[in-house]
Amino acid sequence: MPKKNFASPWKTVAQNWEKYYTPPGRPSPEDCKIYKQYIKRALNGKSGRALVLGMTPEIRNALHAFPVEVTCIDINLEMILAMNKFVSKSEKDILVRGSWVENPLADNHYDIVLGDLTWANIPKQQWGKFHQTLVRILKAGGHYIHRIDVI
């Protein structure tokens, strides 16, 4: 698939994020409260490192309430750049262009990995490898916090 065809839909998503995308397509304020509860529990009063799968601004903004180093990974450069405008402290985030399944991220590095509707963006045949990657990059005792929407 040509790069332009892959990037274009996500650029449109970013351009229309606040205007047209509503829950459950993006986290609601209540979802963000739940994310924060799980983040607080996972950190247990300590600082740490968090990885966001994708550029979901609501998750990134929730993380900025905690003493964490935030890294975000997404394969689409258009999405990375476009979603920053919705993040209050985006200049603090480490942004990585790469795949959630196969990536250069360090082993045993993250205390928390967060995502929103991530499974829907990974082909089913890659779910096993995706979960192996999560195990590889999470520290022992780390947490994978995500939201799914089932219809």
Side-chain angles (χ1 to χ4, degrees), residues 30-89:
E30 185 60 34
D31 293 328
C32 293
K33 287 179 188 176
I34 294 168
Y35 271 114
K36 284 182 177 181
Q37 289 171 357
Y38 281 110
I39 294 165
K40 183 177 180 178
R41 188 180 309 165
L43 290 173
N44 195 25
K46 300 175 185 171
S47 61
R49 293 184 182 118
L51 175 69
V52 179
L53 302 173
M55 296 291 139
T56 307
E58 291 83 358
I59 294 175
R60 293 168 65 190
N61 286 327
L63 280 167
H64 291 150
F66 297 92
V68 292
E69 174 187 278
V70 177
T71 301
C72 306
I73 185 168
D74 199 278
I75 201 162
N76 191 313
L77 183 60
E78 293 284 350
M79 186 61 108
I80 291 170
L81 299 174
M83 295 306 269
N84 274 345
K85 68 182 175 184
F86 303 114
V87 180
S88 58
K89 298 178 183 174

Side-chain angles (χ1 to χ4, degrees), residues 73-130:
I73 185 168
D74 199 278
I75 201 162
N76 191 313
L77 183 60
E78 293 284 350
M79 186 61 108
I80 291 170
L81 299 174
M83 295 306 269
N84 274 345
K85 68 182 175 184
F86 303 114
V87 180
S88 58
K89 298 178 183 174
S90 64
E91 71 280 355
K92 292 184 173 188
D93 295 348
I94 299 165
L95 306 177
V96 177
R97 183 177 182 196
S99 166
W100 301 344
V101 178
E102 296 180 26
N103 58 59
L105 300 172
D107 295 355
N108 305 307
H109 189 72
Y110 297 99
D111 300 284
I112 309 169
V113 174
L114 300 103
D116 190 64
L117 307 177
T118 51
W119 290 354
N121 291 293
I122 299 169
K124 191 173 183 177
Q125 64 271 20
Q126 291 187 329
W127 285 359
K129 187 163 184 158
F130 170 67

